[in-house]
Amino acid sequence: MKNDDYKDVKEFIQLTLKIVESKLDSESIDYVNHYINHDEYEMAFEGLFLEIMKLEEIPEIDFLKSRKIGELLKLNEESVFDFDFWHNFKNYLEKIQ
């Protein structure tokens, strides 16, 4: 990834976290911020969306861009926390559209 891509990814994750922050527990917020602060964007993104997919209410975030960011981070090839993350993420996106 280019430096501009990293900047865009970081900003997108931070914006998305801000949108859903009131619906997440403090531990989830802390670990997403921890991974952002250590430039572990794959872990921040996957961890954040694992929590988002658990929410009862669908948040108003840019899901099209979410998919593009996930692919840019190559989470469609290899996930970090959940082996089935990309499959579940795609199903979630299809369900909400």
Side-chain angles (χ1 to χ4, degrees), residues 1-11 41 72:
M1 258 192 314
K2 299 177 290 195
N3 283 342
D4 288 346
D5 291 336
Y6 283 113
K7 182 179 178 228
D8 290 344
V9 167
K10 181 177 181 177
E11 288 175 0
Y41 303 122
L72 188 63

Side-chain angles (χ1 to χ4, degrees), residues 56-72:
E56 290 182 28
E57 193 175 306
I58 298 169
E60 292 187 30
I61 57 177
D62 187 341
F63 286 106
L64 180 60
K65 188 168 184 178
S66 299
R67 183 181 181 126
K68 289 178 183 177
I69 296 288
E71 289 171 347
L72 188 63

Side-chain angles (χ1 to χ4, degrees), residues 12-71:
F12 176 78
I13 295 170
Q14 289 173 321
L15 174 64
T16 303
L17 179 60
K18 188 172 188 86
I19 291 169
V20 299
E21 197 169 37
S22 65
K23 297 171 177 65
L24 301 179
D25 60 55
S26 61
E27 185 178 327
S28 298
I29 295 166
D30 288 347
Y31 80 71
V32 171
N33 280 320
H34 170 82
Y35 293 128
I36 291 170
N37 292 334
H38 289 88
D39 300 332
E40 296 285 350
Y41 303 122
E42 298 85 355
M43 297 170 91
F45 181 95
E46 184 178 342
L48 177 57
F49 276 90
L50 285 170
E51 295 303 317
I52 288 171
M53 291 187 293
K54 293 178 192 174
L55 297 175
E56 290 182 28
E57 193 175 306
I58 298 169
E60 292 187 30
I61 57 177
D62 187 341
F63 286 106
L64 180 60
K65 188 168 184 178
S66 299
R67 183 181 181 126
K68 289 178 183 177
I69 296 288
E71 289 171 347

